[in-house]
Amino acid sequence: MDYTVYFADKAVVFTAKTPGEGWYAVTPAPDGGISRAKVTKILESYNKAAVVTPDPGAAFGAFAAEFALIEAAGGVVVNDCGQWLMIRRNGRWDLPKGHLECGERIEECAAREIEEETGVRAGVVRPLCDTLHAYYFPKTERWELKRTHWYELHTASCARLVPQAEEGIEQVVWCTPAEVTRNLRDAFPTIRCVVAAMGK
């Protein structure tokens, strides 16, 4: 199994075989590990790096141990008109998501975060995929690795949209499929992965 970790618009994949063109291949140390410092240094010069190793799971596990793991959930809400809910946050198109709270089920987290960030109450239809996103968080002065569990959700109405401004959300909009495609040009790769998982 491969593990892809996104650093904003850049990516590192832990894999058993060298991916196609455009990837910078890296051979890990004899113990099978590669440090966060080495990966971030490589990503200064390359957009995509592949850590090629016989045991991708072990290499990823050692790499992930250098981060604080954050669990989160979010999703794609579809209404009865076939429109998809999108948000614009910090100048880019995104999907609503947020951190898992203590004692909360992951599906409940997805629905709660969507309602908090957009004002839309929706029910989970099915799981879509998980994404991994790494970043340095100045507030806590640590590197975090966020695993976001993504779901498709449904709501009957085109409810009034209320952007959660304190979370940096500038807009909440219902989008036609054509508008979603256009907005993806200005979205992070993780969001494009989620839309691809919708399979529509």
Side-chain angles (χ1 to χ4, degrees):
M1 179 179 171
D2 291 353
Y3 300 84
T4 303
V5 180
Y6 292 94
F7 289 74
D9 290 307
K10 302 189 175 195
V12 58
V13 62
F14 294 81
T15 180
K17 58 182 189 182
T18 307
E21 198 176 328
W23 289 84
Y24 177 79
V26 186
T27 304
D31 64 1
I34 187 165
S35 70
R36 181 188 67 225
K38 184 168 182 179
V39 166
T40 54
K41 186 71 177 167
I42 290 167
L43 293 178
E44 287 175 12
S45 303
Y46 300 91
N47 289 330
K48 298 191 292 186
V51 179
V52 182
T53 171
D55 191 347
F60 168 73
F63 176 76
E66 294 190 43
F67 296 80
L69 182 61
I70 306 295
E71 295 287 349
V76 178
V77 180
V78 183
N79 66 20
D80 280 351
C81 303
Q83 297 168 312
W84 294 17
L85 187 66
M86 292 193 82
I87 64 173
R88 193 159 176 86
R89 189 198 315 254
N90 301 324
R92 296 189 79 162
W93 288 104
D94 204 345
L95 294 168
K97 63 188 177 299
H99 292 182
L100 181 68
E101 293 183 351
C102 186
E104 187 176 41
R105 286 176 43 245
I106 200 73
E107 298 91 341
E108 292 170 345
C109 173
R112 175 186 55 75
E113 284 289 345
I114 287 165
E115 186 172 4
E116 287 177 3
E117 293 192 349
T118 69
V120 174
R121 182 171 291 184
V124 170
V125 175
R126 63 181 174 128
L128 293 173
C129 63
D130 292 353
T131 59
L132 293 162
H133 171 215
Y135 52 89
Y136 181 74
F137 193 48
K139 198 172 182 180
T140 55
E141 298 183 343
R142 67 182 187 181
W143 280 89
E144 297 183 350
L145 180 62
K146 182 188 289 183
R147 177 169 48 211
T148 305
H149 305 263
W150 295 98
Y151 296 88
E152 178 182 352
L153 298 92
H154 176 261
T155 186
S157 67
C158 302
R160 187 171 73 88
L161 304 176
V162 184
Q164 191 179 20
E166 59 269 29
E167 288 292 325
I169 300 171
E170 301 143 21
Q171 276 181 279
V172 182
V173 293
W174 289 111
C175 300
T176 64
E179 289 168 335
V180 170
T181 301
R182 186 185 67 225
N183 292 346
L184 286 179
R185 295 184 204 131
D186 185 26
F188 286 111
T190 48
I191 302 307
R192 293 195 284 274
C193 291
V194 177
V195 171
M198 285 285 286
K200 294 179 181 178

